[in-house]
Amino acid sequence: MTVGEMTLGKALGAGLRRAMQDDDKVVLLGEDIGKLGGVFRITDGLLDEFGAQRVIDTPLAESGIVGTAVGLAFRGYRPVVEIQFDGFVYPAFDQIVAQVAKLHYRTQGRVKMPITIRIPWAGGIGAAEHHSESPEAYFVHTAGLRVVAVSNPADAYRSLRQAIASDDPVIFFEPKRLYHHKGEVDLDASLADAPPMGLASVVRPGRDVTLITYGAMVGTALQAAEAAEDEDISIEVIDLRSLSPVDYDSVAASVRKTGRVVVAHEASREAGVAAEVIASITERCFEYLESAPLRVTGHDIPYPPAKLEKFHLPDLDRLLDAVDRVLDRPNSLTEVDA
């Protein structure tokens, strides 16, 4: 067993390498992923190892990149597309929602679309417009796509391999502000023994409040849970991991235990993932709820300039305020609202 500490970015690169070693039908496409190794160096070294026929530097044309991946999938390949930044996925939106998500259904199952679309995603790096967006709700709303968001190196390595091996198209969100965060990764782990890609993870057990999130927000949620311990508040933190489908069995089991729910994400509040999760919890667990579930999200604005993003991203104080409110504890924000 080869277990070592590596960054999330290196874990993703290792996952790509392992998938390409395991299946010669796996090919990579994207802007600057070859000689440069990608903007975030995720594909660094793969061109030398596998050649330009499998690590393909593409023109700056996201619709063309995804369209080419569709053609490759028709021919039995397993293309892995890198979208350079989250906000650059929109030119490929038509290809993704009208072709990638629909072709298996449209052909009555005769055509599979085993395409993985990797998207460096969300904020926290002080980047410009279109480089810090959270477009996950668009894809969660689109039937025919799996949507995954990773939060740590081990999960990044494992889930990326699972996504590439899946016959379903997968939108694979990578929190770019965690690319340099380190964790232990078992490079010899078998996919047969790995938890399913769609399974949520209880990353911290608790008794008083269920705090549900994903991606880089998992770290913030764990900080909130640790801080709340000082006041004898026990927060159970759930990393959804899969945003479509959502593992509602794990979520409901936690909510039935705690009776109180906070859902957090960086994306805008209006019609976001949190709204759907809360609606589904209410349908499944209404009689167990001791208070109304709350959302802690980004604001309903275009992503702000770097100097202002700290006011946009949900932080420790906003999470703890929501926890106080579902517990009906006095807090400053509630007093101001009153």
Short mmCIF file of all heavy atoms in Angstrom, two decimals, residues 299-322:
data_model
loop_
_atom_site.label_atom_id
_atom_site.label_comp_id
_atom_site.label_asym_id
_atom_site.label_seq_id
_atom_site.Cartn_x
_atom_site.Cartn_y
_atom_site.Cartn_z
N HIS A 299 -23.87 35.92 -1.81
CA HIS A 299 -24.96 36.87 -2.05
C HIS A 299 -25.42 36.81 -3.51
O HIS A 299 -24.71 36.30 -4.38
CB HIS A 299 -24.49 38.28 -1.68
CG HIS A 299 -24.01 38.39 -0.27
ND1 HIS A 299 -24.83 38.14 0.82
CD2 HIS A 299 -22.79 38.69 0.25
CE1 HIS A 299 -24.15 38.30 1.93
NE2 HIS A 299 -22.90 38.63 1.62
N ASP A 300 -26.60 37.32 -3.77
CA ASP A 300 -27.17 37.30 -5.12
C ASP A 300 -26.62 38.46 -5.94
O ASP A 300 -27.34 39.40 -6.31
CB ASP A 300 -28.70 37.33 -5.06
CG ASP A 300 -29.27 36.05 -4.50
OD1 ASP A 300 -28.68 34.98 -4.76
OD2 ASP A 300 -30.31 36.09 -3.81
N ILE A 301 -25.34 38.38 -6.22
CA ILE A 301 -24.63 39.42 -6.99
C ILE A 301 -23.62 38.72 -7.90
O ILE A 301 -23.24 37.57 -7.65
CB ILE A 301 -23.87 40.39 -6.06
CG1 ILE A 301 -22.87 39.62 -5.18
CG2 ILE A 301 -24.84 41.21 -5.22
CD1 ILE A 301 -21.94 40.50 -4.37
N PRO A 302 -23.20 39.38 -8.97
CA PRO A 302 -22.03 38.85 -9.69
C PRO A 302 -20.85 38.76 -8.73
O PRO A 302 -20.74 39.55 -7.78
CB PRO A 302 -21.78 39.89 -10.79
CG PRO A 302 -23.10 40.59 -10.95
CD PRO A 302 -23.73 40.61 -9.60
N TYR A 303 -19.93 37.82 -8.98
CA TYR A 303 -18.83 37.63 -8.05
C TYR A 303 -18.05 38.94 -7.90
O TYR A 303 -17.69 39.58 -8.89
CB TYR A 303 -17.89 36.52 -8.52
CG TYR A 303 -17.04 36.01 -7.40
CD1 TYR A 303 -17.51 35.02 -6.55
CD2 TYR A 303 -15.78 36.55 -7.15
CE1 TYR A 303 -16.74 34.57 -5.48
CE2 TYR A 303 -15.01 36.11 -6.08
CZ TYR A 303 -15.50 35.12 -5.25
OH TYR A 303 -14.73 34.69 -4.18
N PRO A 304 -17.78 39.36 -6.66
CA PRO A 304 -17.21 40.69 -6.43
C PRO A 304 -15.71 40.74 -6.71
O PRO A 304 -15.04 39.72 -6.85
CB PRO A 304 -17.48 40.92 -4.94
CG PRO A 304 -17.47 39.55 -4.36
CD PRO A 304 -18.08 38.66 -5.40
N PRO A 305 -15.15 41.96 -6.76
CA PRO A 305 -13.69 42.10 -6.90
C PRO A 305 -12.96 41.45 -5.73
O PRO A 305 -13.52 41.24 -4.65
CB PRO A 305 -13.49 43.62 -6.90
CG PRO A 305 -14.81 44.20 -7.24
CD PRO A 305 -15.84 43.24 -6.73
N ALA A 306 -11.67 41.17 -5.95
CA ALA A 306 -10.89 40.43 -4.97
C ALA A 306 -10.91 41.08 -3.58
O ALA A 306 -10.97 40.38 -2.57
CB ALA A 306 -9.45 40.29 -5.47
N LYS A 307 -10.88 42.40 -3.52
CA LYS A 307 -10.84 43.08 -2.23
C LYS A 307 -12.12 42.90 -1.43
O LYS A 307 -12.14 43.11 -0.21
CB LYS A 307 -10.58 44.58 -2.44
CG LYS A 307 -9.15 44.91 -2.89
CD LYS A 307 -8.94 46.40 -3.00
CE LYS A 307 -7.50 46.73 -3.42
NZ LYS A 307 -7.28 48.18 -3.54
N LEU A 308 -13.21 42.49 -2.12
CA LEU A 308 -14.51 42.37 -1.44
C LEU A 308 -14.97 40.93 -1.27
O LEU A 308 -15.99 40.69 -0.65
CB LEU A 308 -15.57 43.15 -2.23
CG LEU A 308 -15.33 44.65 -2.38
CD1 LEU A 308 -16.41 45.28 -3.26
CD2 LEU A 308 -15.31 45.33 -1.02
N GLU A 309 -14.21 39.98 -1.80
CA GLU A 309 -14.73 38.61 -1.80
C GLU A 309 -14.87 38.05 -0.38
O GLU A 309 -15.71 37.18 -0.15
CB GLU A 309 -13.89 37.68 -2.67
CG GLU A 309 -12.53 37.34 -2.15
CD GLU A 309 -11.80 36.33 -3.05
OE1 GLU A 309 -12.40 35.81 -4.01
OE2 GLU A 309 -10.62 36.06 -2.77
N LYS A 310 -14.10 38.55 0.57
CA LYS A 310 -14.23 38.04 1.94
C LYS A 310 -15.61 38.37 2.52
O LYS A 310 -16.06 37.70 3.46
CB LYS A 310 -13.13 38.61 2.83
CG LYS A 310 -13.21 40.11 3.04
CD LYS A 310 -12.06 40.59 3.93
CE LYS A 310 -12.12 42.10 4.13
NZ LYS A 310 -11.00 42.60 4.98
N PHE A 311 -16.28 39.40 1.99
CA PHE A 311 -17.62 39.73 2.46
C PHE A 311 -18.68 38.89 1.74
O PHE A 311 -19.83 38.83 2.18
CB PHE A 311 -17.92 41.22 2.22
CG PHE A 311 -16.95 42.13 2.91
CD1 PHE A 311 -16.01 42.84 2.19
CD2 PHE A 311 -16.96 42.26 4.29
CE1 PHE A 311 -15.11 43.68 2.83
CE2 PHE A 311 -16.07 43.09 4.95
CZ PHE A 311 -15.13 43.81 4.21
N HIS A 312 -18.29 38.26 0.65
CA HIS A 312 -19.23 37.45 -0.15
C HIS A 312 -19.22 35.99 0.29
O HIS A 312 -20.27 35.35 0.37
CB HIS A 312 -18.83 37.56 -1.62
CG HIS A 312 -19.67 36.75 -2.56
ND1 HIS A 312 -20.98 37.08 -2.87
CD2 HIS A 312 -19.40 35.61 -3.25
CE1 HIS A 312 -21.47 36.19 -3.72
NE2 HIS A 312 -20.53 35.28 -3.96
N LEU A 313 -18.05 35.46 0.58
CA LEU A 313 -17.93 34.05 0.91
C LEU A 313 -18.43 33.79 2.33
O LEU A 313 -18.07 34.52 3.26
CB LEU A 313 -16.47 33.60 0.80
CG LEU A 313 -15.82 33.73 -0.58
CD1 LEU A 313 -14.34 33.39 -0.50
CD2 LEU A 313 -16.53 32.83 -1.58
N PRO A 314 -19.25 32.76 2.53
CA PRO A 314 -19.67 32.41 3.88
C PRO A 314 -18.45 32.12 4.76
O PRO A 314 -17.53 31.41 4.34
CB PRO A 314 -20.51 31.15 3.67
CG PRO A 314 -21.01 31.25 2.27
CD PRO A 314 -19.89 31.90 1.51
N ASP A 315 -18.45 32.67 5.95
CA ASP A 315 -17.31 32.49 6.84
C ASP A 315 -17.75 31.89 8.16
O ASP A 315 -18.93 31.56 8.37
CB ASP A 315 -16.55 33.80 7.03
CG ASP A 315 -17.42 34.90 7.65
OD1 ASP A 315 -18.54 34.59 8.12
OD2 ASP A 315 -16.97 36.06 7.68
N LEU A 316 -16.80 31.76 9.07
CA LEU A 316 -17.05 31.16 10.37
C LEU A 316 -18.18 31.87 11.11
O LEU A 316 -19.09 31.23 11.66
CB LEU A 316 -15.76 31.20 11.19
CG LEU A 316 -15.78 30.59 12.58
CD1 LEU A 316 -15.85 29.08 12.50
CD2 LEU A 316 -14.52 31.01 13.35
N ASP A 317 -18.15 33.20 11.13
CA ASP A 317 -19.15 33.96 11.88
C ASP A 317 -20.56 33.76 11.32
O ASP A 317 -21.52 33.62 12.08
CB ASP A 317 -18.80 35.45 11.87
CG ASP A 317 -17.59 35.77 12.72
OD1 ASP A 317 -17.27 34.97 13.62
OD2 ASP A 317 -16.96 36.82 12.47
N ARG A 318 -20.68 33.74 9.99
CA ARG A 318 -22.01 33.55 9.40
C ARG A 318 -22.55 32.14 9.66
O ARG A 318 -23.74 31.97 9.89
CB ARG A 318 -21.96 33.84 7.90
CG ARG A 318 -21.77 35.32 7.57
CD ARG A 318 -21.63 35.56 6.09
NE ARG A 318 -22.83 35.16 5.37
CZ ARG A 318 -22.90 35.03 4.04
NH1 ARG A 318 -21.82 35.24 3.30
NH2 ARG A 318 -24.02 34.67 3.47
N LEU A 319 -21.67 31.16 9.64
CA LEU A 319 -22.12 29.80 9.95
C LEU A 319 -22.56 29.69 11.41
O LEU A 319 -23.62 29.11 11.71
CB LEU A 319 -21.01 28.80 9.67
CG LEU A 319 -20.65 28.54 8.21
CD1 LEU A 319 -19.55 27.49 8.12
CD2 LEU A 319 -21.84 28.10 7.39
N LEU A 320 -21.77 30.25 12.32
CA LEU A 320 -22.12 30.16 13.73
C LEU A 320 -23.39 30.96 14.05
O LEU A 320 -24.18 30.56 14.92
CB LEU A 320 -20.95 30.65 14.59
CG LEU A 320 -19.73 29.73 14.61
CD1 LEU A 320 -18.59 30.37 15.37
CD2 LEU A 320 -20.07 28.37 15.19
N ASP A 321 -23.59 32.06 13.35
CA ASP A 321 -24.84 32.82 13.53
C ASP A 321 -26.04 31.97 13.14
O ASP A 321 -27.05 31.94 13.85
CB ASP A 321 -24.80 34.10 12.69
CG ASP A 321 -26.13 34.82 12.70
OD1 ASP A 321 -26.50 35.35 13.76
OD2 ASP A 321 -26.82 34.82 11.66
N ALA A 322 -25.94 31.25 12.02
CA ALA A 322 -27.05 30.38 11.61
C ALA A 322 -27.27 29.26 12.61
O ALA A 322 -28.42 28.89 12.90
CB ALA A 322 -26.77 29.81 10.21
#
